[in-house]
Amino acid sequence: TWDCMHVGTSSDEAQYVVLRAEANLAVLGRRMKGEAKALAPLAKALTHEQVQAFVDSGSIELGGHTLTGDDLRIIRSFKPGIEHYDTNTDGKVLVLMDKRTDEQLLQRGLAREFVNRVQKLRKTAGLTPGDPIRVYYTSKDPSGGVAAALAAEAAYVDGALRTPVLV
């Protein structure tokens, strides 16, 4: 599972995205009949900058026709070279998730796993989440691994278990 520590937004899609256009033949066909098919390769040949200008202005001259609104479908693709992100788009909304891990994220994962195992023990014992319990933890390596995660994430663990972990 992924643990989201921070969510950020950006309106600078040019940093991550390449725009391209496709002729919306359903819309253009109703209006231009047979000429619509001739616009498809012209629309595909538009550069990122030309598509961005269309998005900004709402119109573009193409093959002797002024195209507006739904005449073109704008497709957003991720730029090549975004290796440390998992990416997804529906063509309108872009999602990038940074896959890099750091010590804080690893500690949060260990703390969550610790909480998960205590909750499973609680269930096995027939206790409800509201039943008071005491949690003790010892380790052969009190300065690393789970012990460090419990110390760093004490507020999260204590809140999730509704009791402090006694080390």
Side-chain angles (χ1 to χ4, degrees):
T1 62
W2 291 98
D3 193 1
C4 181
M5 300 288 288
H6 306 284
V7 174
T9 60
S10 173
S11 59
D12 181 18
E13 72 178 355
Q15 183 178 356
Y16 304 103
V17 175
V18 175
L19 298 178
R20 61 184 178 89
E22 289 182 355
N24 187 343
L25 294 177
V27 171
L28 292 171
R30 284 192 295 263
R31 197 170 80 225
M32 299 180 183
K33 307 294 182 220
E35 294 181 62
K37 286 189 177 184
L39 294 175
L42 298 175
K44 282 190 175 190
L46 291 173
T47 66
H48 170 85
E49 291 75 17
Q50 291 170 316
V51 176
Q52 184 63 57
F54 170 76
V55 169
D56 294 342
S57 69
S59 69
I60 191 168
E61 289 292 322
L62 200 60
H65 300 281
T66 300
L67 304 183
T68 60
D70 291 336
D71 293 341
L72 295 177
R73 281 193 299 257
I74 307 305
I75 293 126
R76 289 166 170 83
S77 307
F78 292 99
K79 284 185 174 179
I82 300 179
E83 289 92 21
H84 62 275
Y85 287 100
D86 270 342
T87 59
N88 201 350
T89 181
D90 66 358
K92 295 179 183 174
V93 176
L94 310 168
V95 177
L96 289 93
M97 185 170 68
D98 192 337
K99 299 185 296 186
R100 295 174 292 186
T101 58
D102 61 11
E103 192 61 30
Q104 181 184 18
L105 193 59
L106 293 172
Q107 287 181 342
R108 174 60 63 99
L110 284 172
R112 285 178 58 146
E113 184 60 26
F114 183 88
V115 167
N116 175 274
R117 290 181 187 217
V118 170
Q119 299 295 38
K120 284 181 180 178
L121 287 170
R122 194 180 242 170
K123 185 176 180 179
T124 301
L127 301 172
T128 65
D131 290 340
I133 61 170
R134 289 185 188 229
V135 179
Y136 296 91
Y137 174 79
T138 60
S139 172
K140 293 180 182 177
D141 182 12
S143 64
V146 176
L150 292 176
E153 299 292 330
Y156 162 74
V157 174
D158 295 352
L161 296 177
R162 297 187 188 102
T163 186
V165 175
L166 306 171
V167 181

